[in-house]
Amino acid sequence: MRMLEAAGSGHSAGPLDLSDIFAALYFHIMNYDPQNPEWPERDVFFLSNGHTVPVQYATMAEAGYFPKEELLTLRKFGSRLQGHPERTRLPGLENTSGPLGSGLSQASGYAYTLQYIDKQLHRFVYVITGDGELDEGNIWEAAMFAGKYKLSQLIAFVDRNNIQIDGPTDAVMPLEDLRGKWESFGWHVQEIDGHNIESIIDAVGMAKAITNQPSVIIAHTIPGKGVDFMEYDYHWHGYGKSPDDYVRGLKKLRSLNGKITGEHE
Amino acid sequence: MSHYPLQQNLFGDDVEQEPTRAGFGRGLKAAGEANEAIVALCADLTESTQMSKFKEAFPERFIEIGVAEQNLVTVASGMARAGKIPFTSSYAAFSPGRNWEQIRTTIALNEQPVKIVGSHAGVSVGPDGATHQMLEDIALMRVLPHMVVVAPGDSIEAEKATRAIAENGKPSYIRLAREKTPIFSTNDSPFEIGRAYVLWEGSDISLLGTGTMTYQLLVAAKELQNHGISAEVVHVPTIKPLDEETILRSITKTGRVLTAEEAQINAGFGGVIAELLSEKKPTPLKRIGMQDRFGESGTPNELLDHFGLTGAKIALAAKEFVHTTPQYHREY
């Protein structure tokens, strides 16, 4: 929140609702070394919905990749913390993303290399996508590819927060039957509460145990989670919200209650 | 005369011919032999893009992607992150045609050494028609920061270019043709990324060619001799980074420039030369190529002739240009 206020712009909903998944990944699940971002034995993390990078930066700072003071340089001229992640700017990033749809493919390429070429079967490849991002055809090309090659070291999270820019995902481009889609592409599917750390960790444990399929964890999240006024405005479960409430609430969320320029206004 | 070794038999009916994509196929296999980090990915066009040789030699390093060009380059980007040197191939119309944004974001901006191979570029694709005759790829790729852009002149050079690109550590694009074209270079001819070569010395006009059009400029230069015009032929296989020094030296000598490409003249090879001239040596320029129009179905020879892309037609255009344009010699 402080980063976004200092920057005066940026995305809020996704980063907030992904915080628990990032905490679980970086502080329990993944094997990595902040002092040696190229450590050849590390697990790798690809962010596909690159606009949510503020939460990745915050997590990396907590993990010791760089000093926490640097977080306030987000989006500023000359900063290593670019508005959307650029691999060459910040050690610890595995890819460059922002335009939606490419991260799952990049992660798949890495996983393919580990499994089939370098035969490093003890390292895992994690990737997070948005749910609106699943509108992109590139995502399904990657899903088909991962299914064909049974990339069992690939573990994907879908941030199922049910919102995208022009409205709820159900209104813009419905995704259900989402589980069925992934299953038909040859993936192992789990659905969890994306705010329950134990569930996140258990799901990854299950995913690691699946050795003949890639895994996707559909994480149900609440956009703006953790921030009182947002979560209160935003505590929905699918249908029932009037379009006006939605627009008003989303404006509040995106602008952090009027403190920053909301993205995509 | 220039020191560039040319084939002895350049102009006979029996001049040796081979598609540039065949040279690429050999070069990729050789690159794979030399460096086990080389991997190859193809979007369902393995035989016609000639990745088949690599696939046969190194099946465990060849990845079939299917008809998914966006996935083609982004999977390659991920493999590059894992330390590989990926070559990706499809027809230029689809790659970089379809997946240009992913190339921009995950390869150019991301600075990964992925090699994009755009085969079947130009009108000489023939009967498939305009949809498959990619003419805009030079423009699309040269405009990306960090991207190296090479259009080899013949199959011997294509093999060398492939080997060089395999080792340059940079995002790179190589443009190949479907049809067999005359071989003008030899095994001893030099090739270095970023270098242009004077093939034929002259004093009245500089004919700058890229890709398989350079051979047509040799034909044109020979024809122009019959009209008392001394044409200098400069081969520019690397469009980016451009060998400004060699090109400006030629232009300073001749004071007239003609460019030739089997592509749109706008923003491509003719474009980069126009930019160079305007800033560093304003000189009258004639751009031979597709004049802001798409191709169409036909035989390769019919199409090349129709669009003025043959040596004979270029000679006519050059003759007209020389007779109507004074040589610009100015000191700057």
Side-chain angles (χ1 to χ4, degrees), chain B residues 254-314:
Chain B
T254 65
R256 295 187 189 94
V257 190
L258 178 147
T259 58
E261 64 204 288
E262 202 186 318
Q264 302 292 357
I265 59 169
N266 293 331
F269 179 57
V272 71
I273 299 299
E275 291 166 25
L276 172 70
L277 295 179
S278 294
E279 280 193 335
K280 304 230 168 125
K281 199 111 210 162
T283 307
L285 169 66
K286 171 80 184 158
R287 293 172 299 161
I288 300 290
M290 296 302 285
Q291 311 282 320
D292 192 33
R293 59 151 295 172
F294 291 113
E296 56 184 283
S297 287
T299 68
N301 286 338
E302 262 177 334
L303 295 169
L304 290 169
D305 179 70
H306 177 71
F307 292 116
L309 305 176
T310 60
K313 289 265 171 87
I314 293 172

Side-chain angles (χ1 to χ4, degrees), chain A residues 111-179:
Chain A
Y112 181 97
T113 304
L114 290 181
Q115 188 171 334
Y116 289 96
I117 302 189
D118 292 347
K119 311 260 201 308
Q120 296 195 306
L121 307 181
H122 56 287
R123 298 172 60 197
F124 288 89
V125 181
Y126 298 93
V127 56
I128 294 179
T129 77
D131 54 357
E133 185 177 11
L134 304 183
D135 295 350
E136 284 283 357
N138 199 164
I139 288 282
W140 299 101
E141 292 179 17
M144 261 196 276
F145 174 82
K148 173 189 179 185
Y149 291 109
K150 303 187 194 317
L151 300 180
S152 56
Q153 288 161 254
L154 179 65
I155 299 174
F157 285 87
V158 175
D159 181 12
R160 194 75 174 103
N161 63 11
N162 286 286
I163 60 165
Q164 56 192 114
I165 294 168
D166 279 354
T169 54
D170 270 4
V172 175
M173 191 52 65
L175 293 169
E176 299 301 333
D177 168 15
L178 188 55
R179 166 188 278 271

Side-chain angles (χ1 to χ4, degrees), chain B:
Chain B
M1 287 311 284
S2 114
H3 302 295
Y4 186 96
L6 288 169
Q7 288 285 338
Q8 301 276 43
N9 178 18
L10 268 183
F11 302 117
D13 280 340
D14 58 341
V15 64
E16 210 180 321
Q17 303 202 53
E18 197 189 25
T20 52
R21 61 192 165 105
F24 158 73
R26 284 194 298 275
L28 183 61
K29 182 180 171 196
E33 278 156 9
N35 188 345
E36 62 178 19
I38 305 268
V39 296
L41 301 85
C42 190
D44 201 32
L45 290 166
T46 310
E47 189 59 43
S48 60
T49 62
Q50 291 283 286
M51 271 198 164
S52 35
K53 291 185 176 60
F54 182 95
K55 177 183 176 183
E56 207 184 299
F58 309 107
E60 72 290 354
R61 282 152 55 186
F62 173 80
I63 299 108
E64 177 63 73
I65 295 285
V67 191
E69 297 80 13
Q70 297 172 77
N71 205 41
L72 176 70
V73 296
T74 46
V75 165
S77 171
M79 295 188 81
R81 179 59 183 148
K84 302 305 169 195
I85 300 173
F87 276 77
T88 67
S89 75
S90 179
Y91 292 175
F94 318 137
S95 179
R98 177 164 296 204
N99 53 16
W100 184 85
E101 184 275 311
Q102 285 92 344
I103 292 170
R104 174 180 189 262
T105 303
T106 73
I107 292 169
L109 177 61
N110 200 22
E111 294 184 53
Q112 290 291 14
V114 176
K115 322 300 177 181
I116 296 124
V117 180
S119 186
H120 292 51
V123 290
S124 50
V125 166
D128 272 353
T131 58
H132 286 54
Q133 294 166 7
M134 185 57 165
L135 305 169
E136 300 78 17
D137 53 314
I138 297 178
L140 281 177
M141 296 308 270
R142 67 165 279 243
V143 84
L144 288 173
H146 308 302
M147 183 65 65
V148 170
V149 179
V150 176
D154 62 27
S155 63
I156 290 182
E157 189 171 69
E159 186 171 345
K160 292 174 190 164
T162 303
R163 297 297 309 272
I165 281 170
E167 293 162 22
N168 75 348
K170 298 185 178 139
S172 304
Y173 177 62
I174 178 166
R175 174 183 224 245
L176 305 171
R178 172 185 184 238
E179 283 298 289
K180 61 186 199 300
T181 54
I183 296 174
F184 58 88
S185 71
T186 72
N187 290 329
D188 297 323
S189 308
F191 176 82
E192 211 182 296
I193 294 174
R195 296 293 316 279
Y197 300 98
V198 177
L199 305 190
W200 194 280
E201 286 185 11
S203 55
D204 294 330
I205 179 173
S206 295
L207 307 178
L208 311 182
T210 192
T212 52
M213 288 305 294
T214 298
Y215 175 79
Q216 300 301 330
L217 293 181
L218 288 170
V219 172
K222 181 160 177 291
E223 173 63 23
L224 286 167
Q225 273 179 332
N226 300 337
H227 299 276
I229 293 171
S230 161
E232 174 149 297
V233 177
V234 184
H235 179 45
V236 189
T238 306
I239 294 157
K240 179 174 184 180
L242 193 68
D243 183 354
E244 296 189 359
E245 197 186 314
T246 302
I247 293 168
L248 287 173
R249 194 180 315 124
S250 173
I251 289 165
T252 303
K253 186 165 58 150
T254 65
R256 295 187 189 94
V257 190
L258 178 147
T259 58
E261 64 204 288
E262 202 186 318
Q264 302 292 357
I265 59 169
N266 293 331
F269 179 57
V272 71
I273 299 299
E275 291 166 25
L276 172 70
L277 295 179
S278 294
E279 280 193 335
K280 304 230 168 125
K281 199 111 210 162
T283 307
L285 169 66
K286 171 80 184 158
R287 293 172 299 161
I288 300 290
M290 296 302 285
Q291 311 282 320
D292 192 33
R293 59 151 295 172
F294 291 113
E296 56 184 283
S297 287
T299 68
N301 286 338
E302 262 177 334
L303 295 169
L304 290 169
D305 179 70
H306 177 71
F307 292 116
L309 305 176
T310 60
K313 289 265 171 87
I314 293 172
L316 285 174
K319 183 156 81 87
E320 160 87 19
F321 183 60
V322 166
H323 288 157
T324 54
T325 315
Q327 281 174 299
Y328 275 47
H329 288 304
R330 297 213 173 93
E331 290 310 311
Y332 287 88

